[in-house]
Amino acid sequence: MYDAADDISDASLREMLPRLYRFALWLSKDPATADDLVQASIERALKYQHTRRPDGDLRAWLFSILYRQFIDTKRHAKRYARVLEWFRKADDAPSTERHVQARASLQAFEQLPEAQRTLLWLVSVDGLSYKAVADMFDVPLGTIMSRLSRARGALRDACDGESRVHLRIMK
């Protein structure tokens, strides 16, 4: 299955770094972000090198890791920006309606059971994948998906002032 000879060599990584950096720079349009993206991709490649097919193309494998890392970073940034919207103080005074909605959303979030708050936080704010959360709680992926769906529904209903859904506390 896994052979030490399949390890990624230092020389092969050094040879790929300029190409990976160019691709990361093209994706991100920022040198510092491109550096971070290449570093994170190399770390991930080294961590998961045992999953690489021995007959597969190293270059294609590294480029796919870098691209997925870029997409994950973008998703995380988008989620983080949404959360910051709730908490940031704008230079101009926010409308009373936005302020009331934000406060109601935070109160609704706080009213959820701790297990649902934790699950929503891990997936929606921290950007963890469903699989990572399932592994963290040692439950099947489908269980996480259904619990997350119930938590989102409960939050949506709480924000709308409806209480027709009976929440089930997660173990």
Side-chain angles (χ1 to χ4, degrees):
M1 181 172 165
Y2 174 69
D3 185 12
D6 292 335
D7 285 346
I8 300 171
S9 72
D10 188 46
S12 62
L13 284 180
R14 286 182 190 274
E15 181 182 322
M16 290 301 302
L17 281 177
R19 292 177 183 167
L20 290 170
Y21 179 78
R22 278 194 303 269
F23 184 54
L25 187 59
W26 179 77
L27 287 171
S28 67
K29 312 291 189 250
D30 176 51
T33 304
D35 283 337
D36 293 342
L37 191 55
V38 169
Q39 179 179 349
S41 300
I42 294 297
E43 287 175 9
R44 186 174 278 183
L46 291 172
K47 183 176 180 181
Y48 295 106
Q49 66 184 334
H50 64 278
T51 64
R52 186 174 78 89
R53 291 189 325 233
D55 59 339
D57 182 15
L58 176 64
R59 184 178 60 151
W61 186 67
L62 289 172
F63 272 80
S64 68
I65 290 172
L66 189 138
Y67 182 71
R68 284 192 308 266
Q69 186 73 30
F70 172 74
I71 296 297
D72 289 347
T73 302
K74 285 293 192 186
R75 284 184 189 140
H76 181 71
K78 194 180 287 187
R79 287 183 189 121
Y80 187 69
R82 276 187 267 157
V83 170
L84 283 181
E85 275 293 315
W86 286 358
F87 297 107
R88 79 168 188 188
K89 293 185 179 189
D91 292 337
D92 53 324
S95 70
T96 303
E97 182 181 359
R98 271 185 79 189
H99 181 72
V100 169
Q101 285 176 343
R103 184 171 295 275
S105 295
L106 288 173
Q107 286 175 346
F109 182 77
E110 289 298 321
Q111 296 294 326
L112 293 175
E114 182 181 341
Q116 287 186 335
R117 284 195 317 263
T118 301
L119 187 58
L120 282 170
W121 186 269
L122 290 172
V123 172
S124 300
V125 178
D126 282 341
L128 293 177
S129 69
Y130 294 176
K131 175 80 172 117
V133 175
D135 291 344
M136 183 185 303
F137 291 119
D138 196 28
V139 296
L141 181 63
T143 302
I144 290 298
M145 292 171 70
S146 65
R147 289 177 181 177
L148 187 59
S149 176
R150 283 194 302 272
R152 286 177 175 155
L155 181 61
R156 194 171 31 254
D157 289 344
C159 286
D160 292 340
E162 300 173 16
S163 60
R164 63 176 181 232
V165 177
H166 299 286
L167 301 179
R168 200 170 81 193
I169 297 177
M170 298 187 303
K171 294 180 182 178

